[in-house]
């Protein structure tokens, strides 16, 4: 029997819910781990809360699409199919910008969304999908994006409310019973490559606190906000599929194609994907987990 077949038996019946903000968060952030679990038979669902409609897109990518949102949706569908995500749930909010952006005042953007309604929508999907594991952003939202921070807060609250029968009782009318997932994880960046990247920026005379197309990415703040790593998944064999999914988001700046990293170095740095375990609280955890489903009966 092939090793993949054994792994599929181990993970038969497992369900995972990913809760992110933008089309491309799934691929750029944890594409390797998604491909890893999909091949092992895990039923993976993805909530994408915004349309990606405020993201920068060069005109040539819009050919054949009526809007940026339509383009980003098509790119997400491509990536989901490539990675093996079984279901994509679109909430349809408008993108927000980085902190201080005028886009954050738009009444339809995620930053302005009614947070109780947003939490309720996530609770509904948790009760419908009944995942064993939920994954979302860390408290800083990875690199400080307001939409990421909103989804971190809303998902964490929804995770703990989903099993409470007094929370959102109207879901019972839809046949959705309270359900408590077993584990909650936050995505995180690998620490030493981030330190190396910041060192390279300074060596080139760049300010790591003002990077990116709009000079609004603060990589030093990303490093300062990193949480401990409690789970490390080996995804070295899935980097080709990860690359293919990231390439689906052709209209966006693909971090998998960094000019400062050779392909060999990229493969080395991202042969593992790290996660912070938020629940159960990792007090007394003596070693890093090697499987996000570890300990689940």
């Amino acid at each position: 029997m092939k090793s993949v077949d054994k792994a599929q038996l181990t993970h038969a019946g497992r369900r995972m819910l990913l809760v992110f903000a933008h089309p491309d968060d799934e691929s750029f952030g944890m594409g390797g781990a998604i491909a890893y679990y999909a091949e092992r038979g895990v039923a993976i669902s993805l909530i994408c809360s915004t349309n990606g409609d405020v993201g920068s897109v060069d005109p040539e990518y819009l050919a054949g699409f009526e809007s940026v949102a339509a383009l980003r949706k098509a790119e997400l569908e491509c990536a989901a199919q490539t990675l093996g995500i079984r279901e994509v749930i679109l909430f349809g909010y408008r993108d927000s910008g980085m902190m201080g952006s005028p886009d954050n005042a738009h009444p339809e953007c995620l930053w302005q969304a009614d947070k109780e309604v947003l939490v309720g929508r996530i609770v509904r999907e948790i009760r419908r999908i009944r995942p064993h594991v939920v994954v979302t952003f860390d408290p800083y939202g990875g690199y400080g994006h307001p939409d990421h921070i909103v989804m971190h807060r809303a998902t964490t609250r929804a995770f703990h409310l989903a099993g409470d029968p007094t929370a959102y009782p109207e879901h019972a009318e839809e046949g959705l019973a309270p359900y408590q997932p077993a584990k909650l994880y936050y995505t995180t960046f690998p620490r030493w490559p981030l330190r190396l990247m910041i060192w390279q920026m300074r060596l080139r005379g760049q300010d790591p606190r003002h990077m990116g197309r709009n000079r609004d990415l603060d990589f030093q703040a990303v490093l300062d906000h990193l949480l401990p790593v409690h789970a490390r998944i080996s995804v070295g064999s899935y980097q080709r599929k990860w690359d293919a999914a990231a390439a689906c988001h052709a209209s966006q700046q693909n971090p998998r194609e960094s000019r400062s990293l050779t392909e060999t170095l990229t493969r080395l740095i991202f042969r593992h994907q790290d996660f912070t375990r938020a629940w159960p609280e990792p007090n007394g955890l003596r070693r890093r987990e090697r499987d996000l489903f570890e300990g689940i009966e």
Side-chain angles (χ1 to χ4, degrees):
M1 181 182 289
K2 296 180 180 179
S3 60
V4 167
D5 293 334
K6 292 180 181 178
Q8 286 176 332
L9 290 174
T10 301
H11 290 79
R14 303 295 195 189
R15 296 178 298 277
M16 177 184 290
L17 175 62
L18 314 176
V19 189
F20 295 132
H22 308 115
D24 73 30
D25 287 335
E26 80 301 325
S27 297
F28 295 167
M30 59 173 290
I34 295 172
Y36 172 96
Y37 280 110
E39 187 172 273
R40 282 157 174 74
V42 175
I44 302 174
S45 301
L46 166 67
I47 291 175
C48 179
S49 60
T50 77
N51 296 321
D53 44 358
V54 181
S56 300
V57 172
D58 292 332
E60 62 265 27
Y61 292 108
L62 286 170
F65 295 96
E66 60 182 16
S67 65
V68 172
L71 165 65
R72 300 294 302 279
K73 180 182 178 182
E75 290 179 334
L76 177 57
E77 290 172 349
C78 168
Q81 183 174 8
T82 300
L83 292 173
I85 295 172
R86 298 193 183 184
E87 178 185 23
V88 176
I89 303 114
L90 302 173
F91 278 2
Y93 292 102
R94 189 180 191 270
D95 275 6
S96 312
M98 292 297 284
M99 289 296 184
S101 168
D103 290 312
N104 298 352
H106 195 288
E108 296 178 5
C109 79
L110 183 60
W111 187 249
Q112 296 293 333
D114 184 313
K115 301 309 183 290
E116 286 302 311
V117 171
L118 176 61
V119 170
R121 295 181 74 176
I122 300 171
V123 168
R124 177 183 286 108
E125 296 304 330
I126 290 174
R127 290 173 173 175
R128 180 181 66 83
I129 296 166
R130 302 175 70 81
H132 301 91
V133 170
V134 176
V135 183
T136 190
F137 301 104
D138 68 6
Y140 188 60
Y143 56 87
H145 196 294
D147 287 341
H148 295 190
I149 294 171
V150 167
M151 294 312 293
H152 159 80
R153 293 172 179 171
T155 304
T156 300
R157 188 151 182 264
F159 177 90
H160 293 291
L161 287 177
D164 183 352
T166 68
Y168 303 97
E170 64 273 17
H171 292 170
E173 299 175 5
E174 305 171 42
L176 301 176
Y179 172 81
Q180 182 59 59
K183 303 178 85 174
L184 173 64
Y185 288 92
Y186 302 149
T187 55
T188 188
F189 293 109
R191 187 178 296 272
W192 74 261
L194 185 55
R195 284 176 172 163
L196 175 62
M197 185 171 65
I198 291 172
W199 177 79
Q200 289 178 323
M201 291 173 185
R202 288 179 172 144
L203 198 64
R204 294 192 296 264
Q206 298 172 313
D207 183 354
R209 291 196 177 275
H210 298 281
M211 296 297 293
R213 181 180 294 183
N214 299 315
R215 298 292 183 263
D216 53 4
L217 293 180
D218 185 341
F219 285 100
Q220 183 60 52
V222 174
L223 179 62
D224 293 343
H225 284 86
L226 286 184
L227 297 178
V229 173
H230 300 125
R232 175 164 288 170
I233 312 303
S234 179
V235 299
S237 300
Y238 298 87
Q239 295 211 47
R240 296 293 181 190
K241 187 167 287 189
W242 188 356
D243 286 339
C248 286
H249 298 285
S251 69
Q252 301 302 297
Q253 188 173 357
N254 184 355
R256 299 282 295 170
E257 298 177 346
S258 171
R259 295 179 182 178
S260 63
L261 298 176
T262 65
E263 181 177 350
T264 300
L265 188 55
T266 298
R267 295 276 182 267
L268 175 65
I269 291 173
F270 296 106
R271 69 190 188 280
H272 300 115
Q273 290 214 264
D274 293 341
F275 299 85
T276 297
R277 195 176 86 187
W279 189 266
E281 294 179 354
N283 301 331
L285 188 66
R286 297 184 178 180
R287 61 172 180 80
R288 286 175 177 161
E289 297 172 325
R290 293 187 293 176
D291 180 8
L292 300 185
F293 293 90
E294 186 174 309
I296 298 177
E297 294 297 332

